[in-house]
Amino acid sequence: MSRMMKIIGTVAIINIVARIIGFLREMVIGNQFGTSAAADAIATAYTIPNFIYLVVGGGLTTAFISVYHSSKTDKAIFVRRMFTSVLMTATIITVLAVIFAEPLLKTTFPDLKPNQFELTYPLFLWMMPSTIILVLSTWMSGLLNLNDKFKLSSIAILVYNAAFVIISAPLVKWYGPMAYGIGALLGAVLMGVFLFAGIRKSKLYSLKPAFGKSEDVKRVWVIALPILLGGASMQFYAFIHRIAAAGLSEGAISAVNYASKLSNFPQAIMMTAVTTVIYPMLSKKEGEGDHETIKQLYKKGMLLLAALIAPATAVAYFFADPLVRLIFEHGEFDESSVLITVPIFKVFALSMFFLAANTYVTRFYYAKGNSMLPVIFSLISVLGINIAIIYALIDSLGASAIAYGTVISSAINLIMLVIYARVKWKL
């Protein structure tokens, strides 16, 4: 267990640096565009590519990890065929999204004003192709984690975030908000090259495309489909945030984005570090039938998350105003932007533990082979409770209602997950 803690600590440190650089991007956007229509457009254009990256990439990678240790075919062939399957899936989705970009954006974000759409559309065309590389990068990171190359996969995120902001920020002078579309694409390319080179240098597997039938690849897809649905329902939070905020005043979309990113910052660092290390171990122990170790992993992981996130939540809630001013109040992010963002951030801060713990507990469901129940719970929480709360409160509370929806629905989702896991598996 001490080795696991050392690995988690190392991954956490790398993730902290990567997240800081990633969050620096939001700070720079705030400095350059404040809570303007341009800032709204950047946040909106990135929503669909980021959704596909997290849902498709995360779902296929999680399923791949689940099948890897019980693969019935040669590992090298399985890896090559899985790489091909992921590549083809990401490419098809991306091509369709680019071809039907205009109706896709108008259908997804019906409340976008004409000036917002004019800014969002070209940004989306730049950002969407990065999805292919981002999905592949998620899968390659999973492959590295399975072979105990945790540092390499964590550094890849650092490379992406650093490249994104380093490329985008200076180009604003010439290309305006479009610079962030260019930075998104080139940053993804650099991350993909880094991971591909890392796998080759480590001499793990060949990633030469391989076609042909594979029972293991079919198993991955059978497991992945419910995970994709579950991941999609959780990532619908971001979609709902954008859609609900689009009906409010200018700047609401970007204010909600800044507030949610700031509240996600500490919990994402800790959750990613813990789950990145524990899930491959969990998958292996489940394959061995070592239920006692699984119980220990579950309890220690939950306690660790609580111990790390509770202090961060308290600081974020009680010091919301000075934190937002310190981090964002520069350049175009003025007093009016602060006043919009602070109350939203205070409420989002209350969701930190619930969101992190939801992701953590769900991994145990996947390892146990039950990937459908988390989907049902997520659909009830995100598309039911969340939306009901937002639209019940939005007239009286404005954009803060969006944050309340996240807090309450994520708490209820966690309660359902924990109760079932306790009853079914005695976790």
Side-chain angles (χ1 to χ4, degrees):
M1 194 61 68
S2 61
R3 177 178 175 271
M4 183 186 78
M5 293 304 297
K6 288 179 181 178
I7 296 172
I8 289 175
T10 302
V11 173
I13 291 170
I14 297 172
N15 268 293
I16 288 170
V17 177
R19 295 282 178 174
I20 288 173
I21 295 173
F23 193 73
L24 178 64
R25 179 179 69 243
E26 303 303 322
M27 293 172 62
V28 173
I29 293 172
N31 178 274
Q32 293 177 321
F33 300 105
T35 50
S36 64
D40 288 350
I42 293 169
T44 303
Y46 194 57
T47 302
I48 294 175
N50 192 53
F51 176 83
I52 296 170
Y53 152 49
L54 294 174
V55 172
V56 178
L60 288 175
T61 302
T62 301
F64 170 69
I65 291 172
S66 298
V67 173
Y68 182 85
H69 288 295
S70 59
S71 174
K72 298 176 182 177
T73 56
D74 179 71
K75 287 279 195 303
I77 296 297
F78 173 47
V79 167
R80 288 177 58 195
R81 286 177 175 168
M82 196 63 225
F83 172 79
T84 306
S85 182
V86 174
L87 174 61
M88 290 179 65
T89 301
T91 301
I92 291 169
I93 292 172
T94 300
V95 169
L96 290 173
V98 170
I99 292 173
F100 299 103
E102 185 171 345
L104 177 61
L105 287 172
K106 288 183 176 179
T107 302
T108 306
F109 308 106
D111 291 327
L112 279 181
K113 300 172 180 63
N115 66 317
Q116 291 175 316
F117 182 82
E118 288 177 8
L119 288 169
T120 303
Y121 180 71
L123 266 168
F124 176 78
L125 293 180
W126 269 104
M127 290 179 172
M128 192 63 215
S130 68
T131 305
I132 298 173
I133 306 164
L134 291 172
V135 170
L136 277 175
S137 294
T138 303
W139 179 83
M140 287 190 286
S141 292
L143 179 62
L144 287 167
N145 291 339
L146 279 166
N147 291 276
D148 296 332
K149 304 293 182 181
F150 300 106
K151 294 179 185 178
L152 197 59
S153 63
S154 297
I155 291 172
I157 299 296
L158 193 155
V159 170
Y160 173 63
N161 287 337
F164 198 154
V165 70
I166 290 171
I167 292 169
S168 303
L171 291 179
V172 168
K173 181 178 179 180
W174 295 281
Y175 298 100
M178 209 62 56
Y180 284 90
I182 299 169
L185 180 57
L186 296 182
V189 170
L190 289 174
M191 178 171 70
V193 170
F194 176 83
L195 285 167
F196 189 84
I199 290 172
R200 290 196 64 179
K201 187 176 180 180
S202 300
K203 297 180 180 179
L204 294 175
Y205 296 103
S206 166
L207 295 183
K208 183 179 179 180
F211 298 89
K213 293 182 178 180
S214 170
E215 288 301 317
D216 288 321
V217 172
K218 288 181 181 178
R219 284 174 61 209
V220 169
W221 275 101
V222 168
I223 295 172
L225 288 175
I227 297 174
L228 289 171
L229 289 172
S233 62
M234 292 303 291
Q235 291 305 320
F236 267 124
Y237 273 125
F239 264 107
I240 295 165
H241 291 171
R242 304 289 188 273
I243 294 168
L248 300 173
S249 59
E250 182 179 297
I253 293 175
S254 50
V256 170
N257 180 61
Y258 295 136
S260 64
K261 290 289 177 64
L262 184 54
S263 66
N264 283 339
F265 179 67
Q267 65 95 354
I269 290 172
M270 303 310 170
M271 180 272 293
T272 302
V274 173
T275 55
T276 295
V277 177
I278 285 182
Y279 186 59
M281 293 181 183
L282 171 62
S283 178
K284 183 178 180 181
K285 293 301 179 183
E286 182 64 30
E288 295 172 356
D290 189 350
H291 301 297
E292 191 58 38
T293 300
I294 291 171
K295 288 181 181 180
Q296 292 175 8
L297 285 172
Y298 178 82
K299 292 176 181 177
K300 289 189 177 183
M302 285 287 277
L303 289 173
L304 183 60
L305 278 177
L308 293 171
I309 294 174
T313 299
V315 170
Y317 186 84
F318 291 108
F319 297 95
D321 188 272
L323 278 172
V324 170
R325 290 182 186 279
L326 175 66
I327 295 169
F328 289 117
E329 195 177 16
H330 311 284
E332 295 298 316
F333 199 100
D334 54 19
E335 179 69 17
S336 63
S337 297
V338 171
L339 294 176
I340 296 172
T341 307
V342 168
I344 305 171
F345 172 59
K346 286 188 71 173
V347 182
F348 268 129
L350 301 175
S351 69
M352 287 184 188
F353 175 73
F354 301 129
L355 291 173
N358 274 318
T359 301
Y360 177 76
V361 176
T362 298
R363 293 294 184 271
F364 284 80
Y365 278 73
Y366 296 159
K368 292 289 185 181
N370 189 337
S371 53
M372 183 54 70
L373 203 57
V375 174
I376 296 171
F377 291 159
S378 294
L379 291 173
I380 294 170
S381 302
V382 182
L383 300 183
I385 297 167
N386 180 43
I387 292 175
I389 291 168
I390 289 174
Y391 287 101
L393 300 177
I394 200 163
D395 289 338
S396 58
L397 299 179
S400 293
I402 297 170
Y404 276 111
T406 300
V407 175
I408 297 170
S409 60
S410 61
I412 292 172
N413 192 77
L414 178 60
I415 290 169
M416 290 189 290
L417 285 170
V418 169
I419 290 175
Y420 186 87
R422 178 67 177 171
V423 172
K424 182 70 175 178
W425 302 302
K426 309 300 181 185
L427 293 178

